[in-house]
């Protein structure tokens, strides 16, 4: 009681002294009263508020009526209480291309408009006009950030910030949000293509295309050189009677963190955390992927024997163009690095029904095509098939550990002949940590998911205690890493479970799994390294290893406990 009374007296005396200081000591103090109050608020309270908002993940961003999900790396509140956003945020939120050049210049392309921000400068270049900024772009933790308010103003989105609930409300009509892609686009002109490689006579195009697409996705910010030979030597499995591979093999290697390996030091400096998949009918989606994320690997049917198209009746050597419209399945992988909607159909060796072509990078050296590049018609039977865009590569220290049992990756599906299924993987903690995210495949567009966590697993009855940690919709087919709303602590030796309820429109078996397929050589799939379950209703569970002799593709990612 005495301590409380004494503290109250001290606070009152301090308040009186401050009031006296500000109001009674002459004209000099009176004349700067407002300025000092504002300065005190900005210099002291604003940074404290910003730190509190960032540490507690209180920042909310709402577009029209929908809350926009983002990671802590992509948006934060600075010491002036301005919301700063990364190129990845700008790219996805405003449907544009956003890349950083020379470490200090963010270049945006959006329809016919271009916008350039410069680190440390309060002006930006919008098309050819200089515009004043309220905030100042900055480089923080090796990431370029721009003031969200300024981007909204320039692109004519309405922006409103509430300091009461730390919420940004952004309003935009459909016309403002609709962006038209350019009729032609070439990553070579943007310094966003990997070097041309030569696979020689080997059937390893799948690895070359994957590596080149990944390198493109990091450019121009990073000019990484990944080792395709390491991927080939460490592929997760082999096919019976052949030496080739495909994109699922490449993904299994990458998503299990076996690579990519740098050619400079043989180390792994990046982890693939998100990839999107496309088919031959997804022409516009593939264009958007190239525009926003870089090269897209794809499969075509190369009507050749050996590494050359010169003898193919579907290839025009004079225009470096190709179009196959037969029924053969794909047998070669290349990388789409651009497009030209006006590319004339008469440029092709055969009768093609319309204009338009993808610009593709091959792995047959610079003597092929135009320095290793050629055109493939939109009307080609296979182009776009097995398409992969590497949407998110993160630094290799992004998570402390990965828990997985699907080292061979996705080569099968499991379910109950309906669009949804509930699946669970059980793991044993190797160290004290926090489970921060889960990884899974969405096998088609518009897949919805709910992710749950179970601590101290003790049999399938423990699943009834599951706690929801994330939910959302995967607009595209692909592999996704989803961060938990709140990380969950685990202790070394503890068994824990990650559960997902997944719904994929039109699917019969919506959950990805690995199993010993007829195409694979024996001995690669180890069903003893996992403990997985599936359920028709979320109540009754079946062991996946016993039911299907396989493992679920459901990973968990941890961070070190604080």
């Amino acid at each position: 009681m005495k301590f409380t009374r004494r503290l109250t007296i001290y606070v009152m005396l301090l308040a009186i002294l401050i009031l006296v200081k500000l109001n009674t000591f002459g004209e000099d103090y009176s004349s700067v009263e407002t300025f000092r109050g504002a300065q005190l608020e900005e210099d002291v309270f604003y940074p404290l508020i910003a730190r509190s908002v960032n540490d507690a993940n209180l920042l909310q961003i709402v577009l029209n009526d929908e809350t926009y999900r983002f990671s802590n790396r992509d948006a934060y509140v600075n010491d002036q209480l301005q919301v700063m956003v990364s190129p990845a945020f700008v790219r996805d939120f405003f449907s544009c291309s956003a890349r950083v050049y020379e470490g200090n210049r963010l270049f945006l392309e959006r329809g016919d408009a271009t916008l350039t921000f410069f680190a440390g400068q309060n002006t930006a270049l919008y098309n050819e006009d200089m515009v004043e900024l309220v905030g100042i772009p900055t480089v923080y933790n090796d990431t370029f950030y721009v003031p969200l308010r300024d981007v909204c103003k320039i692109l004519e989105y309405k922006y409103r910030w509430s300091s009461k609930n730390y919420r940004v409300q952004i309003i935009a009509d459909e016309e403002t949000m609709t962006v038209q892609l350019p009729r032609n686009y070439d990553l070579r002109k943007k310094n966003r293509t990997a070097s041309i490689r030569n696979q020689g006579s080997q059937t390893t195009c799948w690895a070359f295309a994957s590596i080149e697409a990944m390198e493109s996705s990091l450019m121009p910010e990073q000019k990484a050189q990944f080792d395709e030979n390491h991927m080939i030597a460490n592929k997760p499995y082999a096919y019976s009677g052949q030496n080739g591979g495909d994109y699922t093999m490449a993904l299994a290697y990458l998503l299990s963190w076996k690579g990519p390996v740098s050619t400079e030091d043989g180390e792994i400096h990046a982890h693939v955390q998100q990839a999107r998949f496309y088919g031959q009918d997804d022409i516009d989606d593939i264009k958007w992927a190239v525009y926003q994320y870089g090269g897209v690997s794809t499969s075509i049917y190369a009507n050749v024997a050996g590494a050359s198209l010169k003898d193919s009746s579907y290839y025009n050597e004079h225009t470096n163009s190709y179009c196959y419209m037969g029924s053969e399945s794909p047998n070669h992988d290349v990388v789409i690095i651009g497009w030209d909607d006006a590319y004339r159909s008469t440029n092709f060796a055969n009768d093609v029904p319309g204009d338009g072509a993808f610009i593709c990078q091959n792995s047959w050296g610079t003597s092929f095509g135009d320095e290793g590049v050629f055109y493939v018609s939109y009307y080609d039977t296979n182009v776009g098939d097995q398409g992969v865009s590497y949407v998110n590569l993160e630094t290799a220290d992004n998570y402390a550990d990965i828990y997985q049992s699907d080292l061979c990756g996705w080569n099968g599906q499991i379910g109950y002949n309906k669009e949804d299924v509930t699946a669970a993987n059980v793991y044993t903690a190797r160290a004290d940590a926090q489970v921060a995210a889960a990884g899974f495949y969405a096998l088609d567009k518009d897949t919805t998911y709910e992710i749950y966590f179970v601590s101290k697993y003790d049999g399938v009855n423990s699943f009834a205690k599951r706690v929801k940690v994330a939910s959302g919709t995967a607009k595209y087919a692909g592999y996704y890493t989803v961060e938990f709303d709140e990380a969950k602590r685990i202790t070394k030796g503890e068994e824990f479970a990650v559960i997902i309820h997944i719904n994929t429109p039109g699917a019969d078996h919506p959950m990805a799994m690995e199993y010993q397929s007829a195409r694979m050589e024996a001995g690669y799939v180890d069903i003893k390294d996992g403990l997985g379950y599936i359920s028709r209703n979320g109540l009754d569970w079946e062991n996946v290893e016993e039911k299907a002799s396989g493992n679920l593709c459901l990973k968990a990612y941890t961070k070190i406990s604080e």
Side-chain angles (χ1 to χ4, degrees), residues 295-553:
V296 174
S297 64
T298 183
S299 297
I300 63 172
Y301 174 70
N303 177 239
V304 294
S308 175
L309 284 173
K310 293 183 178 180
D311 298 328
S312 171
S313 59
Y314 302 103
Y315 181 68
N316 186 336
E317 186 178 356
H318 301 290
T319 58
N320 305 309
S321 59
Y322 183 79
C323 182
Y324 173 77
M325 295 187 291
S327 58
E328 294 288 346
S329 298
N331 65 354
H332 184 56
D333 286 356
V334 296
V335 181
I336 297 172
I337 59 171
W339 68 88
D340 186 350
D341 291 343
Y343 193 79
R344 300 294 297 274
S345 61
T346 53
N347 287 327
F348 297 96
N350 44 343
D351 187 15
V352 175
D355 295 343
F358 285 119
I359 304 170
C360 296
Q361 178 172 315
N362 209 344
S363 54
W364 291 346
T366 56
S367 62
F368 169 79
D370 177 14
E371 296 292 320
V373 175
F374 68 123
Y375 290 83
V376 180
S377 170
Y378 294 156
Y379 295 90
D380 184 275
T381 297
N382 296 300
V383 72
D385 189 30
Q386 301 180 17
V388 180
S389 173
Y390 293 93
V391 171
N392 185 23
L393 272 75
E394 299 180 8
T395 57
D397 60 356
N398 58 345
Y399 296 106
D401 204 352
I402 181 173
Y403 288 80
Q404 57 188 337
S405 59
D406 58 328
L407 296 179
C408 290
W410 163 46
N411 66 350
Q413 293 90 243
I414 193 169
Y416 292 97
N417 293 313
K418 63 191 187 97
E419 294 180 343
D420 73 305
V421 69
T422 304
N425 260 359
V426 178
Y427 296 108
T428 302
R430 292 185 284 268
D432 292 354
Q434 296 183 77
V435 184
F440 64 95
Y441 289 89
L443 300 183
D444 211 336
K445 298 177 181 178
D446 299 319
T447 292
T448 59
Y449 59 86
E450 295 178 341
I451 300 173
Y452 301 84
F453 181 81
V454 175
S455 60
K456 296 179 173 59
Y457 169 82
D458 185 21
V460 294
N461 290 336
S462 304
F463 294 158
K465 301 183 295 182
R466 58 185 179 266
V467 177
K468 188 174 178 179
V469 290
S471 63
T473 300
K475 182 179 178 181
Y476 301 94
Y479 181 86
Y480 291 84
T481 301
V482 176
E483 296 253 343
F484 292 176
D485 296 333
E486 181 182 354
K488 299 298 181 181
R489 291 185 179 276
I490 53 174
T491 56
K492 184 176 180 179
E494 173 189 346
E495 287 193 307
F496 66 94
V498 175
I499 300 176
I500 186 169
H501 177 258
I502 196 165
N503 187 304
T504 302
D508 294 325
H509 302 85
M511 188 66 199
M513 65 174 294
E514 67 161 13
Y515 78 110
Q516 183 68 48
S517 71
R519 294 180 62 195
M520 293 170 59
E521 290 184 0
Y524 284 98
V525 175
D526 180 8
I527 63 172
K528 296 179 181 178
D529 66 350
L531 181 58
Y533 297 90
I534 61 169
S535 174
R536 182 190 301 271
N537 54 17
L539 299 173
D540 305 305
W541 299 88
E542 295 182 275
N543 183 287
V544 174
E545 289 77 12
E546 295 174 358
K547 179 181 176 65
S549 298
N551 294 308
L552 296 173
C553 297

Side-chain angles (χ1 to χ4, degrees), residues 42-78:
E42 291 181 5
D43 291 348
V44 179
F45 292 117
Y46 281 12
L48 291 175
I49 293 170
R51 181 175 178 178
S52 175
V53 171
N54 296 327
D55 288 349
N57 298 322
L58 299 177
L59 177 62
Q60 301 176 65
I61 299 175
V62 178
L63 176 60
N64 294 330
D65 295 324
E66 293 189 16
T67 299
Y68 187 80
R69 290 182 64 93
F70 58 91
S71 74
N72 295 339
R73 296 179 295 273
D74 288 331
Y76 75 96
V77 178
N78 70 8

Side-chain angles (χ1 to χ4, degrees), residues 272-310:
V272 174
Q273 298 296 158
Q274 185 178 341
R276 291 180 183 171
F277 307 154
Y278 309 96
Q280 57 263 52
D281 296 328
D282 298 326
I283 290 178
D284 284 343
D285 288 341
I286 291 171
K287 289 179 182 178
W288 271 108
V290 171
Y291 187 64
Q292 295 185 293
Y293 306 110
V296 174
S297 64
T298 183
S299 297
I300 63 172
Y301 174 70
N303 177 239
V304 294
S308 175
L309 284 173
K310 293 183 178 180

Side-chain angles (χ1 to χ4, degrees), residues 148-213:
L148 179 56
R149 177 180 175 182
D150 286 311
V151 182
C152 286
K153 181 179 180 180
I154 295 170
L155 299 181
E156 299 182 348
Y157 284 62
K158 296 179 181 178
Y159 176 101
R160 186 169 65 248
W161 160 257
S162 171
S163 58
K164 293 182 179 179
N165 55 10
Y166 313 116
R167 170 174 165 154
V168 176
Q169 176 69 57
I170 297 174
I171 303 294
D173 57 31
E174 188 153 347
E175 182 179 354
T176 301
M177 293 190 295
T178 301
V179 180
Q180 297 295 326
L181 284 167
R183 287 184 54 78
N184 60 78
Y185 197 76
D186 190 342
L187 291 178
R188 290 176 295 179
K189 298 177 181 179
K190 312 294 179 181
N191 193 25
R192 294 173 58 192
T193 56
S195 59
I196 300 294
R197 290 169 164 85
N198 193 338
Q199 70 184 77
S201 60
Q202 301 300 310
T203 56
T204 51
C205 57
W206 59 276
F208 282 79
S210 175
I211 290 294
E212 290 170 11

Side-chain angles (χ1 to χ4, degrees), residues 204-239:
T204 51
C205 57
W206 59 276
F208 282 79
S210 175
I211 290 294
E212 290 170 11
M214 269 193 302
E215 289 177 355
S216 173
S217 74
L218 294 173
M219 297 176 73
E221 293 88 343
Q222 300 179 48
K223 293 179 173 59
Q225 290 282 324
F226 297 133
D227 189 351
E228 66 278 359
N229 292 315
H230 186 274
M231 177 183 283
I232 296 163
N234 292 276
K235 62 184 181 182
Y237 56 88
Y239 290 132

